[in-house]
Amino acid sequence: MKPEDKKLKIGVLGCGVISQAAHLEACTRANNVELHAICDVAHDLLESMSNKYSPKRTYDDYDAMLADPEVEAVIIGIADQFHVPMAKKAISAGKHVLVEKPLGVTIEECEELEQAVRRSNLVLQVGNMKRFDPGILYAQRFIQEEMGEMLALKAWYCDSIYRYEMTDNVMPVIVSSQHAKKPKGNPKLDRQRYYLMTHGSHLIDTAMFLGGEMMSVQAWHTHKFGAHNWLCTIEYASGVVGQLDLTVPVRMDWHEGFQVYGEHGSVIAKTYNPWLFKASDVEVFSSKDGLTRKPLGADAHFYKLQLEGFADTILHGAPMIGATVHDGVHNMRALVAIARSVETGGKIKLADVSGAV
Ligand SMILES: NC(=O)c1ccc[n+]([C@@H]2O[C@H](COP(=O)([O-])OP(=O)(O)OC[C@H]3O[C@@H](n4cnc5c(N)ncnc54)[C@H](O)[C@@H]3O)[C@@H](O)[C@H]2O)c1
């Protein structure tokens, strides 16, 4: 796409895995942003990423980056436990925020952030980049504009046991540092919690993007031979009942997608491992013309597209496609509700939950 004249000046917080694999390159490729600054406490990472991406400024101190008047928006690409405190600082400093998913680690901290965003005139978008998968976006628009009433929605996200073999071949070689700032303990050791948070937040967001807000959840969790499976029945606010399947890892290829049945049509989607940057294969059948459509979605750099969408909202007031701070809070509620339902064996209303997964 043609570069725009006015570009949003971005500061990226964190030069770790997700910034190296997605955000820094997205800043370079997006037509409406400029990578103005990068920040990391780890000097070796900062230097290495500065050499590769040539930002105008580098910072080893986040407060100093926020004090840079040229920084208009920040991308927060750091561990989940730091998302909310760093996003609140950015909002206080008058900067727009694109923060990685999940929004935070407790419902209460996410709600505090939501209040802070509401009091500001700033945009906060959560990094649920699958909304910018052209296939998923096409499906969402068909559902909104043509499909009529929804009957049911099934969605699944099953990470492959071969994920790293596959992604190592296509992701850039990641530079790591002993000086990187990490949360206390190792939150990734509790696999049940970690998988639900990190993968479940994608599945919930896709389901919400297609089906709207959720009212209640009943979930079952099984753990065998190192694999975790959550099967959930969801009641949506619209009255629709749906199912979610989160499985990590499956003994097969990456397996993700959804099926939606509606009044005037239906949708079937197959989503690929995100690091392949390939749009979901989507089949939309419309009973209005009796035809099946299969959009191509040639440009599927989800991380670039989410950044362009974010900048477009800020620069031109374009409607937000990405997940809002409210969506991020709702997503946290859904994740906590799934965890509580597994513990209690009962149906849990999202409005009734508090705390963390
Ligand atoms: N959207 C996706 O597809 C996707 C994929 C992978 C990871 N993620 C998300 O990305 C986030 C980050 O994951 P990661 O694996 O890149 O983390 P990471 O730990 O590899 O990198 C974070 C970097 O930020 C730096 N940092 C942290 N706090 C800082 C501070 N206050 N000041 C300066 N530097 C600071 C650290 O030194 C580190 O280098 C997580 O929330 C994860 O869920 C999203």
Side-chain angles (χ1 to χ4, degrees), residues 108-154:
E108 292 72 19
E109 65 162 4
C110 291
E111 284 177 339
E112 274 181 36
L113 176 59
E114 183 178 12
Q115 292 310 318
V117 174
R118 279 184 194 281
R119 287 192 297 269
S120 75
N121 279 326
L122 298 162
V123 173
L124 184 144
Q125 184 174 306
V126 190
N128 290 104
M129 78 296 172
K130 288 177 189 283
R131 290 181 179 219
F132 294 86
D133 173 326
I136 296 180
L137 189 52
Y138 186 88
Q140 192 260 357
R141 291 198 166 143
F142 173 78
I143 290 166
Q144 295 284 315
E145 293 163 17
E146 286 185 63
M147 193 190 72
E149 225 181 316
M150 189 182 286
L151 181 66
L153 158 60
K154 295 193 281 185

Side-chain angles (χ1 to χ4, degrees), residues 222-236:
T222 309
H223 178 209
K224 287 180 184 170
F225 45 79
H228 293 259
N229 168 261
W230 287 261
L231 282 180
C232 311
T233 301
I234 305 286
E235 282 175 332
Y236 291 85

Side-chain angles (χ1 to χ4, degrees), residues 87 119 183 238 245 257 271 299 349:
R119 287 192 297 269
S238 62
D245 161 11
T271 297
D299 180 359
K349 286 190 177 152

Side-chain angles (χ1 to χ4, degrees), residues 155-304:
W156 50 94
Y157 177 118
C158 309
D159 189 356
S160 169
I161 188 128
Y162 304 110
R163 148 188 271 245
Y164 292 103
E165 268 116 311
M166 289 173 168
T167 54
D168 282 355
N169 290 336
V170 288
M171 281 170 94
V173 175
I174 301 295
V175 184
S176 57
S177 168
Q178 290 187 327
H179 309 291
K181 187 172 156 69
K182 300 276 178 188
K184 281 207 185 76
N186 182 356
K188 295 186 183 177
L189 284 179
D190 180 347
R191 297 316 248 188
Q192 184 171 334
R193 187 188 163 282
Y194 171 63
Y195 287 159
L196 181 57
M197 289 287 286
T198 203
H199 299 293
S201 53
H202 279 307
L203 177 60
I204 297 286
D205 189 68
T206 301
M208 274 171 55
F209 190 46
L210 303 172
E213 295 216 336
M214 300 172 179
M215 288 284 285
S216 71
V217 53
Q218 176 135 27
W220 292 264
H221 170 257
T222 309
H223 178 209
K224 287 180 184 170
F225 45 79
H228 293 259
N229 168 261
W230 287 261
L231 282 180
C232 311
T233 301
I234 305 286
E235 282 175 332
Y236 291 85
S238 62
V240 167
V241 177
Q243 288 175 339
L244 299 180
D245 161 11
L246 174 68
T247 309
V248 190
V250 278
R251 270 62 176 174
M252 59 180 184
D253 196 357
W254 185 281
H255 177 62
E256 182 181 354
F258 52 86
Q259 292 187 3
V260 183
Y261 314 125
E263 197 181 356
H264 306 298
S266 56
V267 184
I268 302 176
K270 172 181 169 55
T271 297
Y272 292 89
N273 176 331
W275 301 107
L276 300 178
F277 293 105
K278 183 170 161 42
S280 293
D281 290 335
V282 168
E283 275 189 27
V284 161
F285 176 78
S286 170
S287 58
K288 288 187 177 161
D289 54 14
L291 294 175
T292 297
R293 288 174 242 158
K294 287 178 155 191
L296 170 62
D299 180 359
H301 196 311
F302 322 115
Y303 300 95
K304 177 196 72 175

Side-chain angles (χ1 to χ4, degrees), residues 17 50 77 101 160 176 218 267 297 316 343 353:
V17 180
S50 174
K101 46 51 61 179
S160 169
S176 57
Q218 176 135 27
V267 184
H316 307 296
E343 285 157 19
V353 288

Side-chain angles (χ1 to χ4, degrees), residues 42 52 59 75 100 107 141 146 202 212 219 242 244 300 323 341:
K52 187 164 179 189
Y59 293 99
I75 297 178
E100 260 310 334
I107 292 171
R141 291 198 166 143
E146 286 185 63
H202 279 307
L244 299 180
S341 176

Side-chain angles (χ1 to χ4, degrees), residues 13-19 39-42 45 62 77-80 82-83 86 100-102 127 129 179-182 188 198 202 275 303:
L13 172 62
C15 292
V17 180
I18 191 65
S19 292
C39 173
D40 204 299
V41 291
L45 277 186
Y62 182 49
I78 57 179
D80 305 351
F82 304 137
H83 288 178
M86 297 304 119
E100 260 310 334
K101 46 51 61 179
M129 78 296 172
H179 309 291
K181 187 172 156 69
K182 300 276 178 188
K188 295 186 183 177
T198 203
H202 279 307
W275 301 107
Y303 300 95

